[in-house]
Amino acid sequence: MNDVPRSFRGNSNAARDIAHHLHPYTNFKKHEATGPVTIVRGRGIYVMDDDGKEYIEGMAGLWSAALGFSNERLATVAYEQMKQLPFYHAFNQRSHEPAINLAEKLKSMAPVEMSKVFFANSGSEANDTVVKMVWYMNNALGRPKKKKIVSRIKGYHGITVASGSLTGLPVNHRSFDLPIANILHTSCPHYYRFHTEGETEDQFTTRCAEELEQLIIKEGGADEVAAMIAEPVMGAGGVIVPPKGYYEKIQAVCTKYDMLFVADEVINGFGRTGNVWGCQTMNIKPDILTCAKALSASFLPISAVMITDKIYQALMSESDKIGTWGHGFTYSGHPVAAAVALEAQKIYDEIDLFGHAKRMSPIFQKHLQSFADHPLVGEAMGVGMVGALEIVADKKTRAPYDLATVGAGTRVANHAQALGLFVRNMGDRVAICPPLIINETELADLFGRLHKAFDLALADMKTDGHFEG
Ligand SMILES: Cc1ncc(COP(=O)(O)O)c(C=O)c1O
């Protein structure tokens, strides 16, 4: 009995989880062998498992819990809204105050003048909505062939059929029969990984823009290519901050071919990159903006799509022609989620969360850069309150370790977890994205634990003969 892990015994959470729960993003076979870490409560930047072990949530859950894992005010607002109006919808000209208030608030915060806000429940749904909006709009404008949407290799936009197609990661396509038609992928603006010998950042971004233009021309030019979608700073692809000047060049190409520019702010939005929006950090002028996650501090599921008036006018005329905009979710703008999101935004304003994040950003980035000299680290990259450390086998050639046999990133993440810190490794890039409320002392604690995790991974790799350094 004693050699059975404690959490697998009898009717434990782990045993019941393995028996009944099909997880997102999980190797099911591995899960059957090792079971889950079951989180039972949260407090500030910490979460606690059912063994009583506390972890710093160095990823804010899924890049999202800006206020951490406890907040009385949000709990109270949810309770009050549930008592007053627990559910109502927004189909067929019905509405309710929480959705109206939140739409008004989001428009007042937008990085460019926006006309309308559409609500969904997740980032994936928001981006699926964008794909349909672009198609619907171009049908309205009498351009039935202009339907192709450009995304990027390593971009992440979700996992539903259209948004999963926009996503540019093999694991989201393989065996799912994705991507669907009309979705294209252009080059990834990761200078460290993809620049050629002797190529400057400026030459690299010019090449990215040229490759985009070549793709557009090959796919039928302005007649067929309708839009480009991008996360201002890529998240799940490995926290990739494009070099200066990249978006100016990319947006010039999009304008030349009369394409809409869609900013996916699902991770970037609400202070993550040091400004309210990633668009402001990266100098982007979007026609459409999607957001989710920190919109409600992740206390409840809600996402939003903001559109300019030019787009709204086209949607309006088509909805009038057909009789309706035949798109919407039962829970579009759910009153409890909308009320909680609005309260989250009020809290952000009252505690000056975006100002706090901006003040913490240089401290965060300094900690991140302190890893640049670590024997395992090839690149330390970040902006604002998000960053990643790329592990390489050879700092000079940037050659990676073999993922399957060495699993260096996984070793770091596992050691970090044992030390009471959750980070996320995407292959050999280890990401850090803590709740924005994190303070200076907590940041030092987080990065101190991460340093130990890197040192322990290095020690293991030396023992296993993987590190020759
Ligand atoms: C940039 C971006 N867009 C879209 C999504 C999809 O959001 P969801 O998981 O809520 O569907 C994510 C999720 O991490 C994301 O990071």
Side-chain angles (χ1 to χ4, degrees):
M1 185 70 191
N2 276 346
D3 53 4
V4 177
R6 176 202 167 282
S7 51
F8 279 38
R9 286 179 213 152
N11 203 25
S12 67
N13 282 332
R16 290 185 304 118
D17 185 88
I18 291 167
H20 308 302
H21 184 190
L22 191 70
H23 283 249
Y25 275 101
T26 294
N27 173 332
F28 299 131
K29 191 154 187 198
K30 195 168 145 210
H31 189 69
E32 284 193 11
T34 55
V37 178
T38 303
I39 301 300
V40 291
R41 62 174 51 84
R43 175 184 64 83
I45 65 160
Y46 302 93
V47 290
M48 192 190 276
D49 71 17
D50 59 355
D51 274 337
K53 182 176 168 104
E54 204 167 54
Y55 305 83
I56 297 177
E57 229 314 345
M59 284 302 293
L62 286 173
W63 327 77
S64 59
L67 292 173
F69 298 86
S70 48
N71 192 288
E72 247 346 275
R73 264 174 75 177
L74 294 183
T76 304
V77 161
Y79 178 65
E80 294 299 332
Q81 183 59 46
M82 278 203 185
K83 282 198 295 184
Q84 187 181 328
L85 182 69
F87 168 69
Y88 214 70
H89 64 87
F91 285 32
N92 302 325
Q93 294 177 262
R94 308 285 172 79
S95 198
H96 48 75
E97 285 176 342
I100 299 167
N101 294 341
L102 185 61
E104 190 176 37
K105 171 70 177 164
L106 280 175
K107 265 182 65 178
S108 76
M109 298 169 71
V112 296
E113 196 174 332
M114 289 293 183
S115 172
K116 298 288 180 287
V117 183
F118 178 87
F119 291 112
N121 307 289
S122 67
S124 298
E125 286 181 2
N127 289 325
D128 264 41
T129 296
V130 167
V131 170
K132 290 176 71 182
M133 263 180 186
V134 169
W135 292 346
Y136 192 88
M137 179 192 102
N138 280 327
N139 287 327
L141 297 175
R143 312 191 291 200
K145 278 173 70 190
K146 196 171 171 68
K147 297 288 164 57
K148 294 179 181 172
I149 301 179
V150 182
S151 181
R152 296 177 300 182
I153 293 163
K154 293 198 180 213
Y156 190 83
H157 302 290
I159 45 67
T160 44
V161 173
S163 73
S165 298
L166 294 172
T167 290
L169 296 165
V171 76
N172 300 107
H173 294 167
R174 197 166 159 198
S175 294
F176 288 116
D177 293 3
L178 296 180
I180 55 170
N182 286 329
I183 305 294
L184 315 171
H185 293 93
T186 190
S187 32
C188 170
H190 188 192
Y191 176 76
Y192 173 78
R193 202 26 78 202
F194 299 120
H195 76 271
T196 55
E197 192 59 37
E199 192 176 39
T200 65
E201 285 194 348
D202 189 46
Q203 289 164 341
F204 173 74
T205 55
T206 299
R207 179 162 63 83
C208 288
E210 284 168 2
E211 285 168 3
L212 171 64
E213 182 159 16
Q214 282 155 16
L215 178 68
I216 293 166
I217 293 168
K218 181 173 140 259
E219 293 290 338
D223 288 344
E224 295 191 37
V225 185
M228 175 161 181
I229 184 165
E231 304 153 83
V233 173
M234 281 183 174
V239 187
I240 293 160
V241 187
K244 244 195 164 73
Y246 167 79
Y247 281 110
E248 286 82 347
K249 293 175 190 174
I250 292 291
Q251 283 218 271
V253 174
C254 292
T255 306
K256 183 170 168 191
Y257 292 91
D258 189 22
M259 291 158 58
L260 298 174
F261 196 90
V262 185
D264 179 341
E265 294 262 10
V266 168
I267 287 178
N268 288 205
F270 311 104
R272 179 55 64 185
T273 66
N275 293 292
V276 181
W277 303 106
C279 282
Q280 292 155 336
T281 304
M282 301 309 295
N283 196 19
I284 295 169
K285 300 271 169 295
D287 301 289
I288 300 179
L289 185 155
T290 57
C291 59
K293 296 192 189 271
L295 168 57
S296 62
S298 280
F299 274 53
L300 281 174
I302 185 165
S303 63
V305 182
M306 289 197 254
I307 57 171
T308 59
D309 200 50
K310 191 178 99 182
I311 299 167
Y312 170 64
Q313 292 303 328
L315 302 187
M316 181 169 63
S317 74
E318 192 71 359
S319 74
D320 192 37
K321 187 173 122 198
I322 295 172
T324 189
W325 151 249
H327 176 88
F329 304 98
T330 298
Y331 302 130
S332 280
H334 189 288
V336 183
V340 165
L342 187 68
E343 191 69 8
Q345 298 301 325
K346 279 190 193 151
I347 294 170
Y348 295 171
D349 289 343
E350 282 172 33
I351 65 171
D352 187 24
L353 185 73
F354 306 144
H356 172 76
K358 208 178 182 79
R359 285 188 293 280
M360 287 300 115
S361 293
I363 300 163
F364 179 99
Q365 294 302 327
K366 199 169 161 201
H367 280 300
L368 191 73
Q369 289 307 323
S370 73
F371 286 78
D373 293 337
H374 192 278
L376 290 179
V377 174
E379 182 186 47
M381 167 180 270
V383 65
M385 294 292 280
V386 60
L389 299 163
E390 180 159 337
I391 299 170
V392 290
D394 185 328
K395 288 195 182 219
K396 257 209 194 99
T397 63
R398 295 172 271 142
Y401 281 108
D402 182 51
L403 272 185
T405 55
V406 185
T410 304
R411 289 175 193 246
V412 169
N414 288 346
H415 278 301
Q417 185 171 321
L419 292 164
L421 168 66
F422 283 133
V423 289
R424 172 153 155 202
N425 70 298
M426 291 151 298
D428 279 350
R429 271 178 93 80
V430 178
I432 309 106
C433 183
L436 293 182
I437 52 163
I438 196 166
N439 64 33
E440 208 170 331
T441 315
E442 291 165 338
L443 272 175
D445 188 9
L446 185 163
F447 281 103
R449 294 184 201 200
L450 192 58
H451 264 293
K452 277 196 200 123
F454 267 84
D455 290 344
L456 289 169
L458 176 63
D460 289 352
M461 286 165 66
K462 280 181 179 163
T463 309
D464 296 351
H466 290 304
F467 183 83
E468 282 149 24

